[in-house]
Amino acid sequence: MKKAIPILFIFFVIYALTNKEEILIPDYAIRFRIIANSNSVEDQELKMTIKEELDNVLTPLMSDAKTSKEAIEILENNMDMIDNIVDKYGVVHTISLGQNYFPEKEYEGVTIPSGNYESLVITLGSGLGDNWWCVMFPPLCLLEAKDNNTENIEYKFFVQEILEKYTS
């Protein structure tokens, strides 16, 4: 029986790392969401342009955070800068840092439940368009999953590595 426990543990770990049903977003995560004004091509392009600029600025800042509390402090200390970046594009917007509602999302066979999550949410205009979101802390925003199965496996191992870094 004692030999079976390590074997079962190894099996469970392999299963958890390769099972597409597993949700990889930890409870302490901080999400980042940008909601477009509408689904027009122009509004969707603007959303992605703002996302790219904010990613370029926030990713290095967030890399210094070791805990979600530190990550929130970094965001709080940089709210004016975030607002100024969005202001450059001349779009009416709101920015909310805290508990924000996220609808249910299905991604690559995984259902991510709806709920209120610690997050930075930027709503452009009336916020009636499709949104973009990622996990800002731990820093998973730069990970774009591909349809290729090999890349999905590499993605999951990389996600596991990042989660271990921020939970130890």
Side-chain angles (χ1 to χ4, degrees):
M1 179 67 174
K2 288 183 180 180
K3 289 182 180 181
I5 292 173
I7 292 170
L8 288 173
F9 178 75
I10 291 170
F11 176 77
F12 176 78
V13 169
I14 291 169
Y15 177 78
L17 290 174
T18 59
N19 183 8
K20 289 190 140 209
E21 299 301 317
E22 181 183 9
I23 297 175
L24 298 171
I25 302 174
D27 290 339
Y28 60 85
I30 300 170
R31 298 168 188 224
F32 176 33
R33 181 178 186 207
I34 302 177
I35 307 168
N37 179 52
S38 74
N39 282 332
S40 73
V41 172
E42 296 82 14
D43 285 345
Q44 289 297 311
E45 286 176 356
L46 177 61
K47 171 190 75 181
M48 295 309 292
T49 299
I50 291 170
K51 171 251 184 213
E52 290 297 324
E53 185 166 352
L54 288 171
D55 260 354
N56 290 335
V57 172
L58 293 175
T59 298
L61 289 173
M62 296 302 285
S63 68
D64 292 336
K66 303 294 185 251
T67 66
S68 57
K69 182 179 178 185
E70 288 179 14
I72 291 292
E73 287 174 8
I74 290 169
L75 291 171
E76 288 172 343
N77 292 336
N78 287 283
M79 290 299 284
D80 287 341
M81 180 213 39
I82 293 167
D83 190 50
N84 289 337
I85 288 171
V86 181
D87 274 344
K88 288 189 333 186
Y89 295 94
V91 61
V92 174
H93 63 278
T94 58
I95 300 175
S96 174
L97 177 61
Q99 291 288 314
N100 294 291
Y101 178 77
F102 279 66
E104 181 178 278
K105 171 129 175 116
E106 180 147 341
Y107 183 74
E108 299 217 2
V110 174
T111 300
I112 301 168
S114 64
N116 290 307
Y117 297 100
E118 192 68 35
S119 55
L120 171 66
V121 175
I122 299 171
T123 304
L124 305 175
S126 59
L128 298 176
D130 289 340
N131 74 100
W132 170 91
W133 74 270
C134 71
V135 177
M136 180 181 285
F137 181 86
L140 304 179
C141 285
L142 298 179
L143 304 177
E144 298 286 336
K146 307 279 192 256
D147 289 335
N148 180 315
N149 285 336
T150 303
E151 291 181 7
N152 280 339
I153 292 168
E154 290 173 12
Y155 169 83
K156 287 186 177 196
F157 282 117
F158 187 61
V159 167
Q160 185 68 28
E161 182 180 312
I162 289 174
L163 292 177
E164 286 172 359
K165 176 181 175 185
Y166 288 94
T167 58
S168 55

